[in-house]
Amino acid sequence: MIIAVDGPSASGKGTIAKALAKHFGYYYLDTGTLYRMVGLKVLHLGLDPTDEQACAAVAASIDPASFADAELRGELVGGYASKVAMLPKVRAALLHFQRDFAARKPGAVLDGRDIGTVICPEAEYKFFITASFEARAKRRHLESAGATLASIKADIKARDERDATRAIDPLKPAKDAVVIDTSDLTPDQALAHALTAMGS
Ligand code: CDP
């Protein structure tokens, strides 16, 4: 059983995906963390995030088991992540780990940008989570330590644009995805919408 959850930054996809995994007792993977790990390492090594060979070598070397680094969550690393995510060889280097994870029994929930379209087009359930730009910026602002709302808006806008317009695996809803707009929903209400769509 695979549940694919895609959507832009701060849309609430991670919250819904985690809640679904808990509800069904499935494994959960935040695939954005993989790109963030590559972005962080590229940043630390002082590499050029447009250098495809160098970034692909970093992507091949990351250890997805070492997920818990607070530094990963910041918008600087998010920006680097979305730059390296434009590189086909980086995406290819991260593909197998994601597909292997999706095959875990009894089931897996993966969230990201291309789960329903590229990583797991065969997923039994697909969701595309959205929210208004204002709602997403406010959420990120509440989570952030000190960044101004204006700078957060600029960062989200730049990342949205890169993610939606890149040549490879752009952010877009799968044709068979259920779209949930969480702008005015609490996390519990968003989960309820997803469960209803699944008929459970
Ligand atoms: O948490 P947030 O939604 O802000 O970002 P994230 O899910 O951690 O993803 C960081 C960046 O990784 C995104 O802006 C995408 O450029 C990239 N990404 C991707 O290309 N494909 C995925 N499946 C997941 C993330």
Side-chain angles (χ1 to χ4, degrees), residues 176-190:
D176 48 350
V178 172
V179 178
I180 300 178
D181 185 327
T182 68
S183 306
D184 301 312
L185 299 181
T186 64
D188 282 349
Q189 289 170 332

Side-chain angles (χ1 to χ4, degrees), residues 67-90:
F67 256 18
D69 185 338
E71 232 188 315
L72 286 174
R73 294 310 317 160
E75 200 44 55
L76 174 65
V77 176
Y80 264 75
S82 80
K83 284 183 187 157
V84 298
M86 296 169 73
L87 307 171
K89 285 183 181 157
V90 167

Side-chain angles (χ1 to χ4, degrees), residues 1-4 27-31 34-35 64 67 88 90-111 114-124 126 168-169:
M1 168 65 73
I2 301 173
I3 304 176
Y27 290 95
Y28 166 64
L29 179 65
D30 167 2
T31 64
L34 302 173
Y35 291 92
F67 256 18
V90 167
R91 304 197 72 81
L94 301 178
L95 181 81
H96 295 293
F97 176 79
Q98 296 175 80
R99 290 220 173 122
D100 286 349
F101 191 98
R104 287 192 184 186
K105 302 276 183 281
V109 184
L110 285 80
D111 80 46
D114 60 342
I115 307 303
T117 50
V118 176
I119 304 294
C120 305
E122 78 288 10
E124 280 85 352
K126 298 180 187 179
I168 179 165
D169 309 344

